[in-house]
Amino acid sequence: MKIYDIENFVNPARVRIALAEKNATDKVEFIEVDVMNGEHRTEAYKAKNPDATVPFAELECGTYISQCNAIIEYIDGEFKGPSLIGNTAKQRAITQMMNIRAEAGLVDAIGAYFHHATPGLGPHLETYQNEDWGLKKKETAQDTMRYLDSVLANSDYLAGEEFSMADITAFAGLIFADFAKVDIPKELTHLSSWHQRVASRPSCAG
Ligand SMILES: N[C@@H](CCC(=O)N[C@@H](CS)C(=O)NCC(=O)O)C(=O)O
């Protein structure tokens, strides 16, 4: 499998953490995409990934898979190790529910803040900005942090007692928050201690 991405970007980090959790990082080939020069918006790139985003995967058979959730689901099934998506119907449903909340409420909301209410990736790539929308989504992100804190008051991880894809997504969201200077409110002690615990996992520490 090949992963087209760029190191140190938030969504690529989600897939890289999932691969590390499955001890599979050295089983894939990484191909760097020149995002800052707009390679991901070329017609050649969009023929492989119409979303014009990183990351995406190319399987041995030539199939392309984009969207982190889909890529991680594939990784989870393809490589051994504890499941990141859940073993029972109930676990899978709860993991997916929490994952979507973390994705929409943190990764995507902070992304909207970053791209709309800050210089984002710079004038060359940020061809449309709506500052009000960006600021509104910053509020969404902070509301989501409060919600996740309330969940973590009652469980070790976001989908229960096992680390899952939902934790990876939320952790990536907090990487983005840190980068975009959106603080975790100090009173959210459950979220902060979860954050430290997850950050100390070998998959997340690199
Ligand atoms: N929902 C997508 C989001 C991917 C995404 O937005 N990736 C960012 C990098 S972290 C990107 O490609 N940005 C390019 C741009 O904004 O032009 C996924 O899960 O893969």
Side-chain angles (χ1 to χ4, degrees), residues 7 27 30 42 69 78 83-84 89 100 106 110 118 125 139 145 151 153 174 176 199:
E7 230 180 325
K27 298 194 176 93
F30 291 95
T42 61
N69 294 335
E78 189 64 9
S83 178
L84 297 169
I100 290 170
L106 276 187
I110 291 166
T118 80
L125 290 175
E139 281 175 28
M145 288 178 189
V151 171
L174 293 187
F176 211 173

Short mmCIF file of all heavy atoms in Angstrom, two decimals, residues 7 27 30 42 69 78 83-84 89 100 106 110 118 125 139 145 151 153 174 176 199:
data_model
loop_
_atom_site.label_atom_id
_atom_site.label_comp_id
_atom_site.label_asym_id
_atom_site.label_seq_id
_atom_site.Cartn_x
_atom_site.Cartn_y
_atom_site.Cartn_z
N GLU A 7 4.14 14.97 5.87
CA GLU A 7 4.38 14.80 7.30
C GLU A 7 3.98 16.05 8.05
O GLU A 7 4.08 17.17 7.54
CB GLU A 7 5.88 14.53 7.51
CG GLU A 7 6.12 13.32 8.37
CD GLU A 7 7.59 13.05 8.59
OE1 GLU A 7 8.39 13.29 7.67
OE2 GLU A 7 7.91 12.61 9.71
N LYS A 27 5.24 -1.12 6.69
CA LYS A 27 4.64 -1.96 5.63
C LYS A 27 4.03 -1.12 4.52
O LYS A 27 3.42 -1.65 3.59
CB LYS A 27 3.59 -2.88 6.24
CG LYS A 27 4.21 -3.83 7.28
CD LYS A 27 3.25 -4.97 7.63
CE LYS A 27 3.92 -5.94 8.59
NZ LYS A 27 3.67 -5.67 9.99
N PHE A 30 5.40 5.76 1.81
CA PHE A 30 4.86 7.12 1.88
C PHE A 30 5.33 7.92 0.66
O PHE A 30 6.51 7.90 0.34
CB PHE A 30 5.31 7.82 3.16
CG PHE A 30 4.68 7.23 4.40
CD1 PHE A 30 5.36 6.27 5.14
CD2 PHE A 30 3.41 7.61 4.80
CE1 PHE A 30 4.78 5.70 6.26
CE2 PHE A 30 2.82 7.05 5.92
CZ PHE A 30 3.50 6.10 6.66
N THR A 42 -4.09 19.67 -8.57
CA THR A 42 -3.90 19.47 -10.01
C THR A 42 -4.88 18.40 -10.52
O THR A 42 -5.36 17.57 -9.74
CB THR A 42 -2.45 19.00 -10.33
OG1 THR A 42 -2.23 17.75 -9.66
CG2 THR A 42 -1.42 20.02 -9.85
N ASN A 69 -11.22 8.34 7.68
CA ASN A 69 -12.04 7.30 8.30
C ASN A 69 -12.03 6.02 7.46
O ASN A 69 -11.94 4.91 7.99
CB ASN A 69 -13.48 7.78 8.48
CG ASN A 69 -13.56 8.91 9.48
OD1 ASN A 69 -12.70 9.03 10.35
ND2 ASN A 69 -14.57 9.75 9.35
N GLU A 78 -6.79 -4.73 7.62
CA GLU A 78 -5.68 -5.30 6.87
C GLU A 78 -4.54 -5.77 7.78
O GLU A 78 -3.84 -6.72 7.46
CB GLU A 78 -5.17 -4.24 5.87
CG GLU A 78 -4.17 -4.69 4.86
CD GLU A 78 -4.71 -5.74 3.88
OE1 GLU A 78 -5.92 -6.01 3.87
OE2 GLU A 78 -3.88 -6.32 3.15
N SER A 83 -8.30 -3.89 17.63
CA SER A 83 -9.10 -3.14 16.66
C SER A 83 -9.22 -1.67 17.07
O SER A 83 -9.43 -1.35 18.24
CB SER A 83 -10.49 -3.74 16.54
OG SER A 83 -11.23 -2.94 15.63
N LEU A 84 -9.12 -0.80 16.09
CA LEU A 84 -9.31 0.64 16.32
C LEU A 84 -10.75 1.05 16.05
O LEU A 84 -11.13 2.19 16.32
CB LEU A 84 -8.38 1.43 15.39
CG LEU A 84 -6.88 1.21 15.63
CD1 LEU A 84 -6.06 1.81 14.50
CD2 LEU A 84 -6.46 1.81 16.98
N ALA A 89 -20.89 -5.03 17.16
CA ALA A 89 -21.72 -4.03 16.48
C ALA A 89 -21.87 -2.80 17.36
O ALA A 89 -21.79 -1.65 16.88
CB ALA A 89 -23.08 -4.64 16.15
N ILE A 100 -17.16 10.65 14.67
CA ILE A 100 -17.78 11.71 13.87
C ILE A 100 -17.88 13.00 14.70
O ILE A 100 -17.64 14.10 14.19
CB ILE A 100 -19.16 11.26 13.33
CG1 ILE A 100 -18.95 10.18 12.26
CG2 ILE A 100 -19.94 12.44 12.75
CD1 ILE A 100 -20.23 9.48 11.82
N LEU A 106 -14.01 18.92 16.23
CA LEU A 106 -12.64 19.39 16.48
C LEU A 106 -11.84 19.56 15.18
O LEU A 106 -11.49 20.68 14.81
CB LEU A 106 -11.89 18.41 17.40
CG LEU A 106 -12.07 18.54 18.90
CD1 LEU A 106 -11.12 17.59 19.62
CD2 LEU A 106 -11.83 19.96 19.39
N ILE A 110 -11.78 23.22 13.79
CA ILE A 110 -10.53 23.99 13.91
C ILE A 110 -9.96 24.25 12.52
O ILE A 110 -9.39 25.31 12.26
CB ILE A 110 -9.54 23.28 14.84
CG1 ILE A 110 -10.09 23.35 16.28
CG2 ILE A 110 -8.16 23.93 14.79
CD1 ILE A 110 -9.46 22.47 17.27
N THR A 118 -7.66 32.81 10.09
CA THR A 118 -6.22 33.08 10.21
C THR A 118 -5.66 33.06 8.77
O THR A 118 -6.39 32.68 7.85
CB THR A 118 -5.49 32.00 11.07
OG1 THR A 118 -5.24 30.84 10.25
CG2 THR A 118 -6.28 31.60 12.30
N LEU A 125 -3.15 29.65 -1.54
CA LEU A 125 -4.06 28.50 -1.41
C LEU A 125 -5.41 28.87 -0.79
O LEU A 125 -6.42 28.22 -1.05
CB LEU A 125 -3.41 27.39 -0.57
CG LEU A 125 -2.23 26.66 -1.24
CD1 LEU A 125 -1.59 25.67 -0.29
CD2 LEU A 125 -2.67 25.94 -2.50
N GLU A 139 -15.77 28.56 18.13
CA GLU A 139 -16.71 28.32 19.26
C GLU A 139 -17.16 26.86 19.27
O GLU A 139 -17.25 26.23 20.33
CB GLU A 139 -17.96 29.19 19.12
CG GLU A 139 -17.76 30.61 19.56
CD GLU A 139 -19.03 31.45 19.28
OE1 GLU A 139 -20.15 30.90 19.26
OE2 GLU A 139 -18.87 32.66 19.07
N MET A 145 -14.72 20.55 22.92
CA MET A 145 -13.77 20.22 24.00
C MET A 145 -14.51 20.00 25.32
O MET A 145 -14.24 19.05 26.05
CB MET A 145 -12.74 21.34 24.17
CG MET A 145 -11.72 21.41 23.05
SD MET A 145 -10.61 22.81 23.36
CE MET A 145 -9.70 22.87 21.82
N VAL A 151 -17.47 13.46 28.59
CA VAL A 151 -17.42 12.02 28.27
C VAL A 151 -16.27 11.38 29.05
O VAL A 151 -16.41 10.30 29.65
CB VAL A 151 -17.24 11.81 26.75
CG1 VAL A 151 -16.97 10.34 26.43
CG2 VAL A 151 -18.47 12.31 26.00
N ALA A 153 -14.98 12.20 31.74
CA ALA A 153 -15.19 12.15 33.20
C ALA A 153 -15.64 10.74 33.60
O ALA A 153 -15.48 10.33 34.74
CB ALA A 153 -16.24 13.18 33.61
N LEU A 174 -6.65 18.05 18.57
CA LEU A 174 -5.94 18.88 19.55
C LEU A 174 -4.54 19.29 19.06
O LEU A 174 -4.03 20.35 19.45
CB LEU A 174 -5.86 18.17 20.91
CG LEU A 174 -7.21 17.98 21.61
CD1 LEU A 174 -7.00 17.42 23.02
CD2 LEU A 174 -8.03 19.27 21.68
N PHE A 176 -4.12 20.12 16.00
CA PHE A 176 -4.52 21.26 15.16
C PHE A 176 -4.84 22.47 16.05
O PHE A 176 -4.46 23.61 15.74
CB PHE A 176 -5.75 20.86 14.35
CG PHE A 176 -5.87 21.53 13.00
CD1 PHE A 176 -6.88 21.13 12.11
CD2 PHE A 176 -5.00 22.53 12.59
CE1 PHE A 176 -7.02 21.72 10.87
CE2 PHE A 176 -5.13 23.13 11.34
CZ PHE A 176 -6.14 22.72 10.49
N ALA A 199 -0.95 11.25 24.38
CA ALA A 199 0.31 11.77 23.82
C ALA A 199 1.50 10.90 24.18
O ALA A 199 2.51 10.89 23.47
CB ALA A 199 0.54 13.21 24.31
#
